[in-house]
Amino acid sequence: MVSILLISHSSKVADGARDIAAEMAGNDVVIVACGGTADGRIGTDPDRVARAVDALAFGDGLVILADLGSSVMSAQMAVESLPEERRAKVIIANAPIVEGAVLAAIEASMGRSLAEVDKAAQSAHTMTKA
Amino acid sequence: MDVKASMAIIKAMAEAIRVNKDYLTELDAAIGDADHGVNMDRGFQAVLAKLDALTSDPPCVGTILSTVGMTLVSTVGGASGPLYGTAFLYAGNVVKGKDRVSLDDAIAMLEAALAGIKKRGGAEVGDKTMVDALEPAVAYLRGPGRNETSLSSALSNAAAKAREGMESTRPIMAVRGRASFLKERSIGHLDPGAVSCYLLLKTIADSV
């Protein structure tokens, strides 16, 4: 089953997005939240992101959803520092974090492939709200 | 420039960032998330602590720079961490194992730093980022700077180009980072990243 990593500048956003996604996807999908800096401020903890990516980039793969600037860059750096054969197991989804997390988690819970989970996350862009 | 001199430059960089911490944060408050000075200072203070731990066993210049890079990536907490961190890591890679830095080395290091920042952030000149300060400095070193007789005058002239590049960020609209969300409201403000980049280059030039 594809795992999901949520990276936000805020731990509340990352934790909250995980809770919303887990409510729909059930307990089988591994969803990890990485929010805020190591000392609890708004920002990113690239070491923690790197450890999470290293821990989750195996099996069916990992889809990452990140919010802004340093979150995205930390994700990219973590993927680049993986051994080459594991890099293809990770996709940084081009999607908004909350909606993307929910759609990706549901898709992952159905046992879909890495590419399908990424596609589901991206479909958040076509969600109509008004 | 030897290992001891490189170490002194890093310490001078930390001091320049400390002195300009509030100024950088003020610039970032105008068009960003008001943390650039605070973040950079946290990063460079952590760098100082790491360098103190290295002094017992004098390493090569490459090790010093990669230590700086890894520490900035780990401790800055904002986008400048991965950006400057990658710059130092790439520059360190160029002088791996070396205990002296020539003008050619310095040029290759700054070229590598620029390549690292562009790879990480995807910015080009004119996007209102640190690239606007760094790229003209590197272009100078790559061109006329190669024929300079001293490292010190080459780097001073490069820093002057960085200053012009930094000033060029004021009238333009941001294309990258948070400032880009402000669109035309980003016009009329210096880019904080371009300013910190100029300060670091000026510090290198002044310390050589």
Side-chain angles (χ1 to χ4, degrees):
Chain A
M1 199 171 276
V2 173
S3 301
I4 293 165
L5 174 63
L6 307 174
I7 311 169
S8 170
H9 277 60
S10 156
S11 60
K12 289 180 189 165
V13 170
D15 293 349
R18 179 193 55 201
D19 293 347
I20 298 170
E23 198 178 40
M24 292 286 293
N27 297 322
D28 292 341
V29 185
V30 174
I31 310 173
V32 173
C34 242
T37 63
D39 52 359
R41 288 170 303 105
I42 296 289
T44 314
D45 181 354
D47 290 345
R48 193 167 153 225
V49 169
R51 286 195 299 275
V53 169
D54 185 46
L56 298 171
F58 63 89
D60 294 331
L62 168 68
V63 168
I64 301 176
L65 290 123
D67 61 3
L68 297 161
S70 58
S71 298
V72 180
M73 287 182 204
S74 297
Q76 290 167 343
M77 290 189 87
V79 174
E80 284 163 23
S81 61
L82 286 173
E84 207 171 339
E85 67 276 10
R86 292 173 64 208
R87 275 176 225 159
K89 288 191 179 290
V90 189
I91 294 180
I92 302 171
N94 185 14
I97 182 166
V98 178
E99 291 86 339
V102 174
L103 294 166
I106 293 169
E107 200 75 0
S109 74
M110 297 188 287
R112 298 285 161 80
S113 71
L114 183 62
E116 286 167 324
V117 174
D118 172 48
K119 205 175 151 204
Q122 286 187 50
S123 73
H125 288 297
T126 55
M127 222 181 231
T128 41
K129 299 184 185 181
Chain B
M1 185 168 52
D2 59 10
V3 170
K4 214 175 135 195
S6 320
M7 201 81 111
I9 291 176
I10 303 295
K11 287 185 180 168
M13 284 179 164
E15 180 60 15
I17 293 297
R18 195 188 62 78
V19 169
N20 288 284
K21 176 180 158 181
D22 292 344
Y23 172 55
L24 292 172
T25 293
E26 250 170 60
L27 290 172
D28 197 26
I31 56 169
D33 50 356
D35 62 6
H36 189 53
V38 180
N39 280 347
M40 289 291 284
D41 184 53
R42 183 183 319 102
F44 270 98
Q45 291 306 312
V47 164
L48 289 183
K50 283 268 186 205
L51 288 187
D52 281 344
L54 279 181
T55 43
S56 55
D57 180 22
C60 68
V61 180
T63 306
I64 296 175
L65 293 185
S66 42
T67 304
V68 174
M70 283 186 285
T71 308
L72 291 179
V73 169
S74 302
T75 57
V76 167
S80 46
L83 289 167
Y84 279 123
T86 303
F88 279 95
L89 287 168
Y90 277 40
N93 218 19
V94 172
V95 286
K96 206 181 260 178
K98 291 203 175 187
D99 55 13
R100 297 201 76 81
V101 174
S102 65
L103 176 56
D104 283 346
D105 291 329
I107 296 171
M109 286 159 79
L110 288 169
E111 279 179 332
L114 175 64
I117 287 175
K118 289 174 93 166
K119 180 190 170 210
R120 184 64 53 219
E124 294 295 335
V125 165
D127 287 355
K128 200 176 177 107
T129 71
M130 47 183 80
V131 170
D132 290 325
L134 184 53
E135 187 148 318
V138 171
Y140 173 78
L141 290 170
R142 238 181 223 155
R146 273 204 197 276
N147 302 319
E148 295 251 17
T149 45
S150 82
L151 183 58
S152 153
S153 95
L155 290 171
S156 293
N157 287 326
K161 294 290 177 194
R163 188 187 176 100
E164 288 170 20
M166 170 195 88
E167 290 292 347
S168 78
T169 65
R170 196 191 296 276
I172 61 178
M173 192 164 82
V175 180
R176 298 272 162 192
R178 300 241 185 148
S180 67
F181 304 159
L182 298 173
K183 299 193 179 78
E184 55 278 0
R185 269 181 52 211
S186 66
I187 294 172
H189 301 276
L190 286 175
D191 175 65
V195 175
S196 61
C197 188
Y198 160 69
L199 287 172
L200 294 177
L201 288 169
K202 173 89 169 69
T203 304
I204 300 173
D206 290 348
S207 317
V208 168

